[in-house]
Amino acid sequence: MAEQDNEDRTEQPSEKRLREAREKGDVPRSRDLSGAVVVLAGVATLISGGHGAMAHVRRIYGLGLDYGRDALFSDELPVRVLSLAMREALLLLTPVALATVLAALAAPVLLGGLNFSAEALQPKFERLDPVEGLGRIFAMRGLVELGKSLLKLVLIGAVLVLVMKNWQTELMGTGRGDVASGTVRAMTLLGRGALLFGTVLALIGGADALYQKYDHTKRLRMTRQELKDEAKESDGNPELKGRIRQLQFQMARKRMMQELPKADVVVTNPSHFAVALRYDEGRMGAPRVIAKGVDELALQIRLVAGSHRIPTVEAPPLARALYATTQLDREIPASLYVAVAQVLAYVFQLKQATARGEEPPKAPQPEIDPDLMGPYQF
C-alpha cells in the first residue's frame, strides 16, 4: 500500500504544503555541506592568519626546548611551560574556533534558509520505538545514507593515501634542519592538506545538497486528489462561492439601476441589447456606460428609461459594439467616439425640436466596424 501511495504522488508540492512543512521544521538540510563549510572556514582562517599562527607555533616549540640549568631542576618548570603553551595554543585556535562556530550556524541557511520551528523542538516519543527505528534503518533512505557514508569513506581515504604517498618526502623532511624551517614546512603541509580535505568535503557536500533537495521535494509530493482537495479548501465551497457571486451580481445590478436615471441616452438593438450612456463634458473625458444588459435586463433598462423620459435610440450595431467593448462604469473606447457623438448630437437636436414643437430629426445609424462587436456581430 505504501509503494502504491508513493507511485500516486506524481504532482509537485504546492506552496501551502511547503509552507506547512517549513513550519514543522521540515526543510532540506545537508550535514555534509555544513561540515564542508565548517572545515573550509577553519582552513581559510588558519591560512589567512598564517604569520601569526606560525609565531604561536614557534613559541610552543620553543617552550619545550629553551630552558636553563636552574629551570631544569625547578619544580615550577612543568607548570609554567604548560600554562604558557596552553595560552599560545588558545591564541592560535581562538580565531579558528570562532570562524567554525559562525560557519556552523550559517551553513544550514545555504540550503534550507533561515528557519526556526518550535514544533521541531517538541519531543517525539514514537522515535523511541525500536521497531520503527529498525524500519528507518533498513528503509530506502537509510540505505542511501549508508551508501553515502561508504562513498565518503572511500573518497576521503583515497585522498589521504594519495597525500601520504605524494608528500612522503616532504613529510619526512620536516624533522631535518633547524626548528624554524621544520615548523614552516609542517604548517605549510598542514594547510595544504586541510585545504585539499575541505575541497573534497565541499564536492561531497554539494552533491549531497542536491540530493537532499530532491529527496525533500519527493517526500512532499502530492496526489492529484490532494491537490484538488487543497484547492477546494483554499478557494472555499463552490456552492458558497456561487452564492457570493450571485449576491455580488444582484448588488451591482441594483446600483446600475439606481444610476440609470442619470443617463443621457439608451442605445438599443432594439430588443436584445440596451446600453445606457452618460456624458458630463466638465467631468468626463468621454461618454461613460452606466448600465447595460441583454434580453430581460435590457427590457428593464428600456422600461426605466421610458419612465424617466430618457431618449432611446435604435442602433443595433452600435448597441452590440458598446456592450462588447466597454465595461460597466467605464468610458467608451476611442474607436466609438464618432458613432456615439452622432447619437448625442441627435439627442440634443431631439430635445430642441421637442421644446420648439418641431418635427423630430431622423435618428442616426452610425457605421460600426464588425470586429468591435466581438461575439455579437451576428
Side-chain angles (χ1 to χ4, degrees):
M1 293 295 292
E3 293 180 358
Q4 181 66 31
D5 184 62
N6 288 333
E7 290 178 359
D8 293 339
R9 296 181 180 277
T10 58
E11 307 301 319
Q12 293 297 317
S14 63
E15 291 296 331
K16 181 174 181 291
R17 190 177 184 91
L18 291 173
R19 184 174 63 254
E20 290 176 349
R22 191 174 187 84
E23 290 173 355
K24 295 177 181 179
D26 185 4
V27 293
R29 297 295 190 203
S30 173
R31 290 191 294 270
D32 294 328
L33 180 62
S34 299
V37 172
V38 170
V39 171
L40 289 174
V43 172
T45 305
L46 190 63
I47 293 177
S48 62
H51 294 291
M54 193 70 67
H56 292 302
V57 172
R58 285 174 179 170
R59 293 192 192 101
I60 293 174
Y61 272 108
L63 288 172
L65 300 174
D66 184 18
Y67 47 84
R69 183 177 180 280
D70 295 337
L72 181 62
F73 292 97
S74 173
D75 296 335
E76 299 177 356
L77 177 63
V79 176
R80 182 178 65 84
V81 171
L82 181 61
S83 62
L84 291 176
M86 290 181 62
R87 176 176 176 275
E88 293 295 334
L90 186 63
L91 293 175
L92 170 65
L93 297 177
T94 296
V96 178
L98 290 176
T100 53
V101 169
L102 292 176
L105 295 176
V109 181
L110 296 176
L111 183 59
L114 186 62
N115 183 57
F116 176 78
S117 173
E119 186 174 347
L121 300 177
Q122 297 177 0
K124 297 181 180 180
F125 297 102
E126 62 270 14
R127 293 184 179 272
L128 301 178
D129 188 348
V131 177
E132 289 190 4
L134 289 174
R136 286 193 298 268
I137 292 175
F138 293 103
M140 180 58 68
R141 195 175 182 187
L143 295 177
V144 170
E145 292 296 329
L146 176 61
K148 285 165 44 184
S149 300
L150 293 176
L151 181 61
K152 286 188 291 183
L153 179 62
V154 171
L155 289 176
I156 295 174
V159 170
L160 291 177
V161 169
L162 291 175
V163 167
M164 295 296 293
K165 183 177 180 181
N166 294 330
W167 295 355
Q168 182 177 3
T169 303
E170 297 182 41
L171 287 171
M172 297 301 293
T174 57
R176 304 188 186 98
D178 59 289
V179 175
S181 61
T183 304
V184 170
R185 286 195 297 270
M187 291 297 293
T188 302
L189 290 175
L190 177 62
R192 288 164 55 188
L195 185 60
L196 182 60
F197 180 69
T199 303
V200 173
L201 286 181
L203 294 175
I204 297 174
D208 184 64
L210 294 176
Y211 171 76
Q212 294 296 339
K213 192 172 183 62
Y214 163 78
D215 183 63
H216 179 262
T217 303
K218 182 180 178 181
R219 285 189 291 103
L220 296 180
R221 281 179 183 173
M222 306 172 67
T223 64
R224 293 185 178 180
Q225 185 60 43
E226 287 176 337
L227 282 176
K228 292 179 181 179
D229 294 341
E230 183 180 290
K232 184 183 295 184
E233 181 181 350
S234 301
D235 297 339
N237 192 314
E239 296 180 358
L240 179 59
K241 290 176 61 180
R243 178 60 179 166
I244 293 175
R245 283 196 298 266
Q246 183 181 3
L247 292 175
Q248 291 174 341
F249 174 75
Q250 292 177 354
M251 294 175 62
R253 182 172 175 175
K254 183 178 180 181
R255 287 195 301 268
M256 182 180 71
M257 301 307 288
Q258 290 175 347
E259 292 291 321
L260 183 56
K262 302 177 183 179
D264 295 316
V265 64
V266 174
V267 184
T268 64
N269 192 48
S271 59
H272 294 294
F273 290 84
V275 180
L277 298 174
R278 182 172 180 235
Y279 181 54
D280 186 343
E281 186 176 357
R283 300 174 58 186
M284 300 178 186
R288 181 172 296 177
V289 173
I290 63 172
K292 67 175 185 176
V294 295
D295 298 332
E296 181 182 351
L297 184 55
L299 176 61
Q300 292 185 16
I301 292 174
R302 291 198 304 273
L303 292 175
V304 173
S307 64
H308 289 82
R309 296 183 178 181
I310 299 173
T312 301
V313 178
E314 292 186 7
L318 178 59
R320 295 199 295 269
L322 287 169
Y323 188 90
T325 60
T326 312
Q327 296 294 326
L328 195 64
D329 201 30
R330 294 290 186 270
E331 294 182 354
I332 64 172
S335 54
L336 294 177
Y337 281 180
V338 175
V340 173
Q342 295 177 19
V343 172
L344 292 177
Y346 163 75
V347 171
F348 178 74
Q349 295 171 3
L350 180 63
K351 290 181 178 180
Q352 285 188 331
T354 303
R356 296 172 183 172
E358 299 176 354
E359 185 179 352
K362 185 178 179 180
Q365 293 297 322
E367 295 185 1
I368 303 298
D369 184 355
D371 291 338
L372 295 176
M373 303 179 199
Y376 312 110
Q377 54 182 305
F378 301 108

